[in-house]
Amino acid sequence: MSIDFKSEVKSEKNQNVTEYINKVLNLIEKEDITQEDAAWITKETLDGFRENVNPGFLEYRKTVTEGGQFAAVEWSDSGAGFKDVNGKEYIDCLGGFGIYNVGHRNPKVVKAVTDQLKRQALHSQDLLDPLRAMLAKILGEITPGDLKYAFFTNSGTESVEAALKLAKMYGERTTFISTTRAFHGKSLGSLSGTAKGMFRKPFLPLIPGFRHVPFGDIDMMRKTFEVCASVGEDVAAVILEPIQGEGGIILPPEGYLKQVRELCDQYGALLIFDEVQTGMGRTGKMFAAELYDVVPDIICLAKAFGGGVMPAGAIVAKEEVFKSWFENPFMHTTTFGGNPLACAAAIATIGVLIEENLPQRAAEAGEYFLAELKKAAEGHEDKVQEIRGQGLMIGIEFHKDEIGYEVSKGMFDNGILVAGTLINSKTIRIEPALTISYEEIDKVVSTFKQVLAQVKE
């Protein structure tokens, strides 16, 4: 009896789950949803986060009212923005933390992915997959200097992990130098390079051999190299973001990156540029390395690499460095990295960036955006500490965290999405699509000016 009862219960649960799945799939299929649909989606989203995802997100999101009675739930996107389930439009200046360089659902990227999907979604893992070879060739052509061989991943932290492992296999050294305010990801290897203690402490001890020095302080970098050499812990690699993103959009001092390159050459260490956020045209060049005329030994890519359509990442390295993986190409692998859909998205993304000259557009639009934001902040020096940036990677730093939160919340209420950074919470970032129009930039600036005037010190 008890077995039959359990079977009946299981059968009823499966039936309920099937009905729920069908309802969700029907909603996905709809081009337009009703008010009733929107209300159901909102309730299910709130309940799902509370009961099955993580209730902490409901406390964290500025899009959720106190007590979780209302939430802005995103549903569709295009161009430089998105809509919530109720049809309200937003200009996206957070950009998924920098993934929408070619815009939301860029038609050329979507077409490449859907065309590939009609043929084959994933690969067998045994036969040679053509798009991986073609994408690697393209990267060898467009990356700085003599960077040549590519390894594909699914995310930024995976790209950093791959770079760290490659650096270790290149030689027998195990010491890495990272910097304060750095963010390289949250898996154990990349977290070892990340700087913020709040993310590190619960997982100590991390990967041994990491040392952190102040970003921009070349003297401390030099002394650290000297000390490591003197105690027999020679540096394997320095890992840097050319412009720190999560750290608060921190630009390097003039000449700093070239001096780091020289130190690496002097001591036989590799230079890894984490361009997960700065790459793919964001800073006004295809790669930030080009801004500073520095060629790293390994470059890490992700975020915008998949065109805001597919999760995709890569490292590209010099042949001398990468050849340690020639003998055994299975030394570091990933099931989904470099899959046909991701490669199709990345190839189309690079095509859009080049054909539409989006890096140059980021430089020009970014210069205008930065100047207008500075004008809007005039007279509010008691609230705004500094506005800085490069290309369409802009940070607005406030004197207090609370001011930044109120400004970002006020802008969201007016249809502009911005957000703080994980490492420097006093700074909100502006990272829109590189396709953002000047009219949209003007709207962001006027909203910022209006909200800033309303926020109390």
Side-chain angles (χ1 to χ4, degrees), residues 223-235:
K223 288 174 183 175
T224 304
F225 264 103
E226 290 170 357
V227 169
C228 288
S230 70
V231 300
E233 297 177 5
D234 295 282
V235 176

Side-chain angles (χ1 to χ4, degrees), residues 181-259:
R181 289 187 171 180
F183 185 86
H184 299 295
K186 292 180 182 172
S187 51
L188 284 179
S190 57
L191 184 59
S192 302
T194 292
K196 194 165 188 178
M198 181 181 76
F199 299 137
R200 293 166 54 87
K201 283 182 181 178
F203 306 105
L204 295 174
L206 295 170
I207 305 300
F210 278 80
R211 304 193 179 198
H212 287 79
V213 302
F215 182 76
D217 189 335
I218 194 63
D219 290 333
M220 184 60 75
M221 180 77 74
R222 183 178 294 107
K223 288 174 183 175
T224 304
F225 264 103
E226 290 170 357
V227 169
C228 288
S230 70
V231 300
E233 297 177 5
D234 295 282
V235 176
V238 173
I239 181 165
L240 290 171
E241 301 158 90
I243 298 171
Q244 292 189 323
E246 299 287 356
I249 318 297
I250 309 298
L251 277 66
E254 187 175 350
Y256 172 69
L257 296 178
K258 278 197 169 188
Q259 290 172 308

Side-chain angles (χ1 to χ4, degrees), residues 1-14:
M1 289 288 293
S2 116
I3 294 174
D4 289 340
F5 175 72
K6 285 182 179 178
S7 296
E8 286 177 14
V9 170
K10 186 175 182 181
S11 176
E12 186 179 344
K13 279 187 176 180
N14 285 343

